[in-house]
Amino acid sequence: PWGNVMMIFAPNAGIAAYPSWLPTLELLAVPGSPPLVVTDFCEEALVKSQQLVQTLLPNLRVVQPVFPNPLRQPLRQTTHGNKLPAYNNGFSMVLQAETPRFNATR
């Protein structure tokens, strides 16, 4: 069903903040689906997203845990209420559906 799609990119996604992501994540949790590269403004947002995905969809595994995005916007975003580093596309992670393992015993 995915044709030639090699990956899906979700910039500044806010997965933990927007419940509307759930149907899309459920679709991507099916084996054979392309990897999902997610970015967000701050590390905390992606850590929360990672925890949410691991709780709700355990077969959508984290291929690359949260890391600073080397291609982020170089200027820091001004945020209100906290002093956490925040950048457009500042942090990334990669998710992909786990491939089922078949038992080869006879």
Side-chain angles (χ1 to χ4, degrees), residues 4-67:
N4 293 327
V5 177
M6 297 179 73
M7 95 169 176
I8 297 172
F9 179 62
N12 298 321
I15 288 175
Y18 298 103
S20 57
W21 271 106
L22 189 56
T24 302
L25 293 173
E26 288 172 339
L27 183 64
L28 292 171
V30 175
S33 63
L36 172 64
V37 179
V38 182
T39 70
D40 220 317
F41 294 101
C42 68
E43 185 175 17
E44 181 186 18
L46 269 185
V47 168
K48 295 245 184 240
S49 296
Q50 180 178 317
Q51 292 168 345
L52 181 71
V53 167
Q54 289 175 324
T55 301
L56 295 178
L57 301 162
N59 60 323
L60 189 57
R61 65 184 175 90
V62 177
V63 176
Q64 175 67 52
V66 177
F67 64 98

